[in-house]
């Protein structure tokens, strides 16, 4: 009992000493906080340096023209000997570079953890045409900036990731025929009165690294401040937190964000044309022709329309006609 009483007495003395040093019970060493900065996404860059290719003149081409579709198409599991498709068949899986952050196009279902969306449907169509099974796919998540390198480094067989076909990109990779026509617009807070990029001079506007959107923002005569991030979802977070005045990319991507967040809206009309193509390594021209055959089959069978209705129909926009393929040979 005496030992316990001694411990209590010592604790009491310590408490008296602490409160005495604190000046009547007030805490010491208070930190003065003037403001709290919201954390920025990893890899965010303001006023990024233009890519080395931006200074070079764009080659003269029609980026929407691809190689004529393979005809007749080989049956599934019977790819031509020596073809790129036969090598993929023998490997047992199609490796596809995709997105997992673009709602309605390429996103991860939080319930099933499966990748879903309009772009994911295009991948599964290609796999089904090769294997007879649309599930024989290995998905690799790639950023906008990493799409071309993934193809050049042979990390993937195809990239299906809301990718605009451009003449500059055609120098490094091949594109399929256009499977969707999008256009760049603005996403702003619902209370904003902004309707054009021209109203955002000196204001921060967010887009993804490696996208055509970030270059459009940087090149605009009103001099908005381009802010680039790794993923489109990072732009949405920055807009929600008031760190940027707007974000800008293809209206298809923005439609998914509006569906997720009722506090934002699309503003103004399209101010670019963004024709989406499937990226394929430069040397695999036979694969381009095969994929174009798959796209023709998708439109003819109604699969393209069903996929549009399932994913993009929820935006309320009327379903457009599938882009008519244009071939260079």
């Amino acid at each position: 009992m005496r030992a316990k009483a001694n411990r209590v007495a010592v604790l009491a003395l310590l408490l008296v000493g602490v409160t005495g040093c604190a000046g009547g019970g007030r805490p010491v060493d208070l930190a003065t906080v003037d403001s709290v900065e919201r954390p920025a996404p990893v890899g965010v860059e303001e006023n990024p340096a233009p890519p080395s290719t931006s200074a070079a003149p764009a080659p003269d081409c029609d980026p929407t023209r691809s190689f004529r579709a393979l005809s007749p198409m080989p049956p599934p599991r019977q790819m031509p000997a020596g073809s790129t498709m036969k090598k993929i068949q023998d490997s047992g899986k199609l490796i596809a570079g995709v997105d997992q952050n673009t709602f309605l196009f390429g996103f991860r279902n939080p319930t099933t953890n499966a990748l879903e969306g309009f772009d994911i449907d295009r991948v599964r169509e290609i796999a089904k045409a090769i294997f007879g099974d649309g599930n024989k796919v290995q998905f690799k998540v790639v950023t906008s900036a990493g799409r071309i390198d993934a193809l050049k480094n042979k990390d993937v067989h195809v990239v299906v990731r809301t990718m605009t076909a451009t003449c500059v990109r055609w120098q490094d990779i091949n594109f399929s025929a256009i499977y969707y026509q999008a256009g760049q617009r603005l996403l702003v807070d619902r209370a904003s009165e902004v309707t054009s990029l021209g109203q955002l001079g000196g204001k921060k506007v967010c887009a993804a690294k490696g996208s055509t959107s970030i270059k459009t923002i940087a090149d605009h005569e009103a001099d908005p401040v381009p802010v680039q991030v790794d993923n489109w979802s990072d732009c949405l977070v920055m807009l929600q937190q008031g760190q940027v005045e707007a974000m800008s990319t293809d209206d298809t991507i923005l439609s998914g964000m509006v569906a997720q967040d009722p506090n934002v809206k699309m503003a103004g009309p399209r101010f670019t044309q963004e024709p989406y193509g499937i990226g394929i390594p430069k040397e695999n021209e036979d694969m381009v022709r095969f994929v174009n055959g798959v796209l023709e089959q998708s439109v003819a069978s109604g699969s393209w329309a069903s996929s549009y209705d399932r994913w993009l129909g929820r935006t309320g926009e009327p379903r457009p006609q599938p882009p008519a393929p244009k071939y260079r040979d």
Side-chain angles (χ1 to χ4, degrees):
M1 288 292 294
R2 179 173 296 179
K4 183 176 181 180
N6 288 339
R7 287 197 299 270
V8 171
V10 170
L11 287 171
L13 287 172
L14 288 172
L15 287 172
V16 171
V18 169
T19 55
C21 292
R26 288 164 33 184
V28 294
D29 297 330
L30 288 175
T32 300
V33 179
D34 295 323
S35 65
V36 178
E37 291 292 334
R38 292 183 173 90
V42 174
V44 63
E45 293 181 62
E46 188 175 314
N47 264 324
S52 58
T53 56
S54 64
D60 185 20
C61 82
D62 180 351
T64 65
R65 291 188 180 276
S66 184
F67 301 111
R68 187 166 301 277
L70 186 62
S71 181
M73 287 284 283
R77 298 180 294 276
Q78 298 180 38
M79 296 298 104
S83 67
T84 302
M85 297 78 76
K86 177 62 173 173
K87 293 175 184 176
I88 295 173
Q89 179 187 333
D90 291 344
S91 74
K93 59 190 175 185
L94 174 72
I95 305 175
V98 298
D99 193 5
Q100 66 174 355
N101 295 308
T102 301
F103 187 51
L104 306 182
F105 268 81
F107 68 101
R108 196 170 293 280
N109 186 313
T111 302
T112 64
N113 204 38
L115 286 166
E116 297 179 348
F118 189 76
D119 277 350
I120 304 302
D121 286 354
R122 307 285 76 74
V123 173
R124 294 195 185 281
E125 287 177 343
I126 298 169
K128 188 173 182 179
I130 294 174
F131 301 102
D133 183 350
N135 293 316
K136 289 198 171 183
V137 180
Q138 178 184 340
F139 292 109
K140 282 198 171 184
V141 175
V142 295
T143 64
S144 290
R147 294 175 295 194
I148 291 177
D149 283 344
L151 291 165
K152 292 172 70 175
N153 296 335
K154 310 296 190 302
D155 296 330
V156 296
H157 298 129
V158 294
V159 166
V160 191
R161 193 191 186 283
T162 58
M163 190 175 186
T164 301
T166 70
C167 292
V168 170
R169 287 173 175 170
W170 264 101
Q171 292 182 298
D172 292 317
I173 63 171
N174 285 329
F175 281 99
S176 72
I178 303 307
Y179 69 93
Y180 191 84
Q181 180 66 57
Q184 189 171 347
R185 291 181 68 185
L186 292 172
L187 189 76
V188 297
D189 185 88
R190 184 158 290 279
S192 174
E193 297 182 358
V194 169
T195 59
S196 71
L197 199 55
Q199 294 172 272
L200 292 169
K203 304 292 186 180
K204 295 180 182 180
V205 183
C206 187
K209 294 178 183 176
S211 66
T212 54
S213 302
I214 194 70
K215 187 176 187 305
T216 299
I217 295 166
D219 291 346
H220 197 275
E221 60 184 8
D223 290 329
V225 178
V227 177
Q228 67 177 15
V229 293
D230 289 332
N231 294 294
W232 292 116
S233 54
D234 293 332
C235 277
L236 179 59
V237 170
M238 294 188 77
L239 177 61
Q240 291 167 332
Q241 294 183 344
Q243 295 172 307
V244 296
E245 192 74 17
M247 66 171 288
S248 183
T249 184
D250 306 344
D251 47 6
T252 47
I253 298 172
L254 299 182
S255 293
M257 295 182 176
V258 172
Q260 292 175 297
D261 185 353
N263 296 309
V264 297
K265 66 179 180 180
M266 280 192 285
R270 287 179 175 178
F271 49 89
T272 68
Q273 294 295 314
E274 307 294 336
Y276 290 170
I278 294 171
I280 298 165
K282 194 69 176 175
E283 61 272 26
N284 295 345
E285 185 178 314
D286 60 340
M287 183 66 174
V288 180
R289 297 180 186 277
F290 179 80
V291 168
N292 285 341
V294 173
L295 291 175
E296 286 191 358
Q297 291 177 339
S298 177
V299 171
S301 69
S303 178
W304 186 97
S306 296
S307 178
Y308 182 98
D309 290 345
R310 180 183 181 190
W311 302 113
L312 306 179
R314 69 182 73 182
T315 65
E317 296 291 328
R319 186 210 311 150
Q321 290 296 315
K326 294 195 297 183
Y327 299 126
R328 56 179 61 188
D329 60 350

